[in-house]
Amino acid sequence: MAGSGRRPEHRGPPELFYDEAEARKYTQNSRVVEIQSQMSERAVELLGLPEDRPCLLLDVGCGSGLSGDYISEVGHYWIGMDISPAMLDVAVEREVEGDLLLADVGHGIPFRPGMFDGCISISAVQWLCNADKKSHSPPKRLYRFFSTLYTALARGSRAVLQLYPENSEQLELITAQAMRAGFTGGMVVDYPNSAKAKKFFLCLFVGTSGTLPKGLGTESASEELHQAKFTNERTRFRNIKGKSVKKSRDWILEKKERRRRQGKEVRPDTKYTGRKRRPHF
């Protein structure tokens, strides 16, 4: 159930669609990686996580770990679930920082109650609407997923699921099963008036009725300009406060230190760590 950052064509079940060749193909596509990173950043933003401590997140349909990369970058821990062995193989090869589980989320979320501080999912939940086997009932599989997800999340936390609904009926089915499982919340639509930029985020609350965040691109032109300016200033301020610029030496050292704390084998730091290589002619 890997999230590829693009609208998938439903040609059979995801574990067959995302074979080894397809998994490597999309993981090496720079445009797909960029879109996946943007949607992951937006999903984590919508979670409204506390800024004073690291959280443990569940990544549903984690694929090759592209969304997990962003979760690690901002200092949180994660566990990823996916139905595609090929996708998880690529994630292992990429040495992602999260733990990985091969599983069909239509069978439920197999973790203890209240374990996660939040959940994200990129381009995956719509797969549950497909009856790929005779035994598959989309409403039952969706309810099983949402009811066990509700249990696995801590009270007061959120789940943010980015999805590509094929039609309004599919959107209603997904939302109805989520509400039936106990969630509150609703759909956040970014850039609703744009055919290409439009994105659906199902923002769900656990145990509380929070205020649904506002979708991007819903303001007037002048407000959008102000919002863009504010976002840029906030990003710059964040870097000034001590967040390392991506791919810089400090960023690489921080990443290596996180992996050491997780007990993973990491190459020793040297004066060459993070140094750019000269181009070869």
Side-chain angles (χ1 to χ4, degrees):
M1 200 174 295
S4 64
R6 59 184 170 84
R7 188 185 299 272
E9 299 173 18
H10 297 312
R11 297 180 299 184
E15 66 270 30
L16 298 181
F17 176 72
Y18 289 111
D19 59 14
E20 184 177 349
E22 182 70 17
R24 295 185 187 284
K25 180 181 173 184
Y26 104 81
T27 305
Q28 295 168 357
N29 186 312
S30 59
R31 174 167 168 74
V32 167
V33 172
E34 181 184 359
I35 294 173
Q36 182 90 359
S37 179
Q38 290 172 354
M39 292 195 296
S40 301
E41 182 175 1
R42 177 62 170 151
V44 172
E45 178 187 355
L46 290 170
L47 283 179
L49 298 172
E51 297 182 1
D52 57 346
R53 64 178 177 86
C55 297
L56 177 62
L57 305 181
L58 176 64
D59 185 357
V60 171
C62 64
S64 59
L66 296 179
S67 47
D69 286 346
Y70 178 77
I71 295 174
S72 297
E73 277 180 31
V74 293
H76 299 300
Y77 301 97
W78 60 280
I79 297 175
M81 295 178 64
D82 204 281
I83 197 173
S84 169
M87 282 290 193
L88 295 179
D89 285 344
V90 175
V92 171
E93 289 176 14
R94 294 180 60 246
E95 297 184 341
V96 298
E97 296 185 32
D99 293 319
L100 305 169
L101 175 66
L102 176 65
D104 179 357
V105 298
H107 294 162
I109 305 298
F111 294 100
R112 61 181 174 80
M115 179 170 173
F116 295 99
D117 301 304
C119 168
I120 71 165
S121 179
I122 307 298
S123 315
V125 176
Q126 70 274 351
W127 286 101
L128 291 174
C129 295
N130 298 341
D132 295 317
K133 299 178 181 178
K134 286 186 178 180
S135 59
H136 282 183
S137 165
K140 289 182 179 179
R141 283 169 59 76
L142 282 163
Y143 178 72
R144 178 67 179 168
F145 164 63
F146 282 120
S147 59
T148 52
L149 175 62
Y150 187 93
T151 301
L153 289 169
R155 301 306 93 174
S157 64
R158 299 181 188 181
V160 177
L161 317 174
Q162 184 274 328
L163 58 134
Y164 288 114
E166 292 185 352
N167 48 51
S168 59
E169 289 78 13
Q170 195 175 85
L171 204 57
E172 289 173 8
L173 173 63
I174 294 171
T175 305
Q177 295 307 313
M179 300 306 159
R180 182 181 166 217
F183 286 104
T184 56
M187 197 65 65
V188 175
V189 184
D190 285 353
Y191 307 106
N193 299 318
S194 170
K196 290 185 177 181
K198 187 176 183 179
K199 293 291 185 293
F200 292 89
F201 293 88
L202 183 57
C203 188
L204 303 172
F205 304 100
V206 182
T208 58
S209 297
T211 303
L212 201 63
K214 197 171 185 179
L216 300 178
T218 56
E219 310 90 349
S220 66
S222 61
E223 287 177 325
E224 281 185 355
L225 184 62
H226 174 73
Q227 176 67 25
K229 183 179 178 183
F230 171 75
T231 303
N232 290 335
E233 288 177 351
R234 183 178 62 181
T235 302
R236 189 182 65 211
F237 179 65
R238 188 188 306 161
N239 289 336
I240 291 172
K241 284 199 301 183
K243 285 281 186 178
S244 301
V245 178
K246 189 173 182 180
K247 303 297 183 185
S248 66
R249 175 180 168 83
D250 289 341
W251 181 87
I252 292 171
L253 291 174
E254 287 172 5
K255 183 175 181 179
K256 290 173 75 173
E257 185 58 34
R258 285 201 306 270
R259 293 177 71 84
R260 290 192 186 100
R261 288 199 299 268
Q262 294 170 1
K264 297 182 179 179
E265 189 175 338
V266 180
R267 290 181 180 178
D269 301 333
T270 71
K271 64 180 181 179
Y272 300 107
T273 302
R275 180 178 292 184
K276 292 185 179 179
R277 297 184 181 184
R278 292 179 179 176
H280 294 284
F281 295 98

